[in-house]
Amino acid sequence: MKTKSPPKDLTLIQLTERFATDDKARKHLEAVLWRDGVVCPHCKCNDQTKFALRTANPEKKIRAGLRFCSNCKSQFTVTIDTIFEDSHIPLRKWLMAWYLLCSSKKGISSLQLKRQLEIGNYGSALFMAHRIRHALKDDSFAEKLSGTIEADETFVGGVTSGKGASFKDNKVPVMAMVQRGGKVRSKIMPTVNGQNLKQAIRDHVQPGAQLHTDAHFGYRGLEHEFEHHSVKHSAGEYSRHEGSTFVTTANVEAFFSLLKRGVMGTFHHISAQHLPLYLAEFEHRHNCRKMSDGERTDAGLQKAAGKRLVYQSRI
């Protein structure tokens, strides 16, 4: 009993029509999460002969989309064991929020979500946005980055003011590694030093890969493990050719540039506690940049499975 496949793409107009009701939104979510057939979230059974779709009956408190699994004798809907479980916010608004977040290049503020989706208060909109980002976050990776990797570090957030203030005051150090033509991985660094930078690269980059960095002292010594090239920004060098190799860190700097434009122009302030969630949001848009807005949204929705509303925020 396979569900109907979702459309290849969705425009904003198509989105409002397709998610006009919670029933339509639920059917779309089923098509995304159950592409290969229904799976019981309780016992993980995928034998389609074990499931029975219950007829919706509000008087008997049987909600639409409720199924019975004869394997474990449990009932479930597509929202069980996802970030949507037990949420009082209508499912259609959840999916619209996913689309807006995944299609907005520099992000979308919680206040704007509140206004556009007619959500009751700012706290609920922030609740939604943080849990969507929580779902987008990759907790582990199947393989390391390979090919040509660009690595760099920056400082995000904080306020620079007052005599003698450093641009690093109250800012959070962030490192990112971009596989040229591929994906990006970013992480908060406790301190920007050689030990931490080298360890992050060893954790995420395939040994022997071609590594491009700036001339920061922390990257010295990596030439024994990687094909290491560097550009010296202090001397005005941002790229150069070494035979057939184009040495630059332009791609990872572009990722940071977009992140900072989002922080300054959309969010204005991000706490260190929630910064990993915002990094996950920008990573998802970068890693799915070659997809359409609808495909990027559905790729994000696929990550919602197995992530309940357990993330604790301080609102």
Side-chain angles (χ1 to χ4, degrees), residues 188-209:
I188 291 178
M189 304 293 288
T191 308
V192 177
N193 57 33
Q195 180 180 354
N196 291 335
L197 292 174
K198 291 186 183 74
Q199 189 58 51
I201 291 173
R202 293 184 183 112
D203 289 342
H204 293 278
V205 180
Q206 191 73 31

Side-chain angles (χ1 to χ4, degrees), residues 6 30 59 97 108 111 115 136 163 176 183 218 256 264 271 277 279 296:
E30 289 177 350
E59 294 182 359
I108 183 169
L111 280 174
R115 291 192 300 268
L136 292 175
K163 186 177 180 180
K183 296 186 176 183
F256 281 146
M264 292 185 288
S271 68
L277 301 179
L279 293 178
R296 192 180 309 112

